[in-house]
Amino acid sequence: MIIQKLKIVAIALLLQMHLDAAYLFAQTKSITRQETLRGSVTPEREWWDLLHYQLKVEFLPDTRRLKGSNTITFKTLKPGSKMQIDLQPPLSITKITHGDSQLKFEREGNVYWVMFEKELAAGTEEKIEVSYEGVPVVSRNPPWVGGITWGRDDLGEHFIVTTCQGIGASIWWPNKDHGSDEPDRGMQTSVTVPEQLVAVSNGRLKKTDHNAGDKKKTFHWEVLNPINNYGVNVNIGNYVHFSEKYKGKGGVLDVDYWVLAHQKEAALKHFKELPRTLEAFEHWFGKYPFYEDSFKLVAVPYPGMEHQSSVTYGNWFRNGYLQRDMCGCGVGFKFDFIIVHESAHEWFGNNISMKDAADMWIHEGFANYSENLFVEYHFGKKDAETYVIGTRRIIRNDVPIIGVYGSNREGSGDMYPKGGNMLHTIRYIINDDAKWLSILRGLNADFWHQTVTTEQIESYITKKAGIDLSRVFDQYLRSTNIPLFKFKVNGKTLSFNYERVVKGFAMPLRVSVNGKESVITPSETRQTMEFADEIKQFDVNRNFYIEVAKE
Ligand SMILES: [Zn+2]
């Protein structure tokens, strides 16, 4: 996703994502049973592993209803007879079949408990078909508030989209709504709409059926790779299509663009931004993770979202983010924020996905950080540094970046700029650009198409860097304090220490003394260094996200 809203208040921009008191209260109040069911691996989820989804859904704009089914193919990991399937009211499951049998089920809020006729043995492949229908939740503010948007385009035609990050895909279709399990063999999505409309979903369009009698069309889309639930989307409108071939690290990538008819001219010009985005990220992260499923940009009536192989776009065909500059330094106008940020999620978010929503910084911290890598690739290191450092102004340090495990509660919106600045800081701790590049590529290769935890990412980077970064991660992900570096110069003597740090924090710092760069390793304990000459100049490298105080 993207940071929610930036409001200009005098010259400062304030992050509006998580509103102060209400949010802090939400983080400390006790976890409800519904949150546990949504956000944890319950016993009714852990005995089976997703293999495939086959979603068929009809969108009925006149009545604002959905009607469809999801055939869920899964492997039993151990014996089981009771299954959790998620679908949020006011949608309802109407029938569940397993082979020739109709299964019993009962509802508990957002969850359905599905009872098999008899216990299924371990190690078998099974399939159930879940039929559902109803009037789904309408999104009040896509993409930050999930649901269906039954909109109209500028010319009055239907423009209907789904968004569900956070609240979960079960707001519009029945599934196993937890990040830890993705369908290993991918997903088919067949969308039926009034015949004058076009439906665009993830992956490749396999075929289109036209039922002239009913005046309906069905668009059959297919994804071959594992896909996270919130990355699944359907967009319906008066779409036209154009495409290009991108010669990338994985061969020839099919790149498709789906925009409304009246947007085509602007898109043909502006989407030249996309190939150079892919080029930058294939350099930093390795090949695009879903060549089989192609890549596309799809126009939507909200700013954007990282829907897998189907990045949605609503940034007005202009650079910046809704005509603003995220860093306040000018560099943000050198690129289209939505194309760059959301495409970065194909690597961090879709290729490497969080198991638990508390670890969402893995998506957003790296995506924020990727913006500066894009800038570095195309405009040089100085602009890149200025950009990522510039985004510090929207860090709030309200609550930790890591949220509450097992509850689908995300951490602070700081996961974007603070996550990005933590990664930028770590690059400067490692102080070896070739090694850092190999870590970024290595993450994507070694966690290819996997779901992961923060601990896995931390220990991977620590191991590859050969530096214990555990306290650095603790400081920036699990506390709200920014390290304070205090120093004093007295003739030839420099004394310094950290304050406001987690126990054992001793992050090396690159400093300049009389024009000469060196590395010091402050800690909470005061240290003193003697130099050969009087210290006339002393600076801390600006790339480290700390505060500095001269005594
Ligand atoms: Zn994002």
Side-chain angles (χ1 to χ4, degrees), residues 59-65 150 152 157-158 160 194 196-197:
F59 284 72
L60 298 151
D62 291 344
T63 50
R64 299 193 163 191
R65 290 176 71 83
W150 303 95
R152 296 274 179 176
E157 187 50 277
H158 285 295
I160 303 161
Q196 79 276 17
L197 298 170

Side-chain angles (χ1 to χ4, degrees), residues 1-2 306 341-342 345 363-364 367 416:
M1 203 183 356
I2 46 185
E306 62 263 30
H341 177 97
E342 308 303 350
H345 278 305
H363 298 200
E364 300 302 354
Y416 296 77

Side-chain angles (χ1 to χ4, degrees), residues 195 209-217:
E195 64 182 353
D209 295 327
H210 188 186
N211 184 336
D214 284 349
K215 297 189 173 170
K216 286 174 183 175
K217 278 186 182 168

Side-chain angles (χ1 to χ4, degrees), residues 316 325 348 398 411 419 449:
W316 307 342
D325 171 13
F348 291 98
D398 50 356
H449 292 178

Side-chain angles (χ1 to χ4, degrees), residues 38 45 86 88 167-171 175-179 229:
R38 168 77 175 84
R45 278 173 169 166
D86 305 272
Q88 299 177 35
I167 189 78
S170 56
I171 199 160
N175 59 77
K176 185 182 199 177
D177 209 355
H178 194 265
N229 282 358

Side-chain angles (χ1 to χ4, degrees), residues 383-538:
D383 274 358
E385 289 175 1
T386 301
Y387 179 83
V388 69
I389 292 167
T391 67
R392 285 179 194 164
R393 71 203 176 122
I394 47 179
I395 297 172
R396 296 160 61 103
N397 287 308
D398 50 356
V399 289
I401 285 177
I402 290 185
V404 183
Y405 288 100
S407 68
N408 198 43
R409 287 188 196 173
E410 295 161 10
S412 169
D414 284 349
M415 70 178 83
Y416 296 77
K418 191 177 167 187
N421 273 284
M422 177 188 75
L423 293 166
H424 187 68
T425 299
I426 288 172
R427 174 184 182 169
Y428 282 83
I429 297 170
I430 294 171
N431 198 12
D432 179 340
D433 282 353
K435 187 182 272 186
W436 183 238
L437 178 63
S438 76
I439 289 172
L440 294 172
R441 289 179 182 172
L443 283 164
N444 277 282
D446 292 337
F447 296 121
W448 180 256
H449 292 178
Q450 287 178 35
T451 62
V452 301
T453 62
T454 289
E455 283 72 19
Q456 284 174 283
I457 299 293
E458 282 180 51
S459 61
Y460 185 93
I461 296 175
T462 283
K463 189 167 156 242
K464 296 287 177 180
I467 302 168
D468 180 3
L469 295 163
S470 58
R471 296 294 168 269
V472 174
F473 285 111
D474 280 347
Q475 181 77 37
Y476 291 105
L477 296 178
R478 300 181 179 90
S479 100
T480 55
N481 290 325
I482 296 311
L484 176 65
F485 174 76
K486 292 179 85 171
F487 74 97
K488 187 175 180 182
V489 171
N490 187 3
K492 297 178 181 177
T493 307
L494 173 71
S495 54
F496 54 83
N497 67 286
Y498 282 130
E499 282 182 13
R500 303 192 315 227
V501 292
V502 298
K503 200 171 180 330
F505 184 90
M507 178 172 76
L509 271 189
R510 286 158 71 174
V511 298
S512 153
V513 182
N514 294 340
K516 194 164 171 279
E517 186 166 271
S518 60
V519 176
I520 58 173
T521 307
S523 66
E524 281 193 281
T525 309
R526 191 79 169 181
Q527 296 174 53
T528 302
M529 287 173 78
E530 289 290 329
F531 289 82
D533 303 311
E534 188 185 340
I535 300 169
K536 294 196 172 115
Q537 171 266 330
F538 177 81

Side-chain angles (χ1 to χ4, degrees), residues 1 281 337 340-342 344-345 348 361-372 416 423:
M1 203 183 356
F281 291 152
F337 174 85
V340 168
H341 177 97
E342 308 303 350
H345 278 305
F348 291 98
W361 77 275
I362 297 168
H363 298 200
E364 300 302 354
F366 276 98
N368 174 283
Y369 179 65
S370 302
E371 296 156 22
N372 108 90
Y416 296 77
L423 293 166

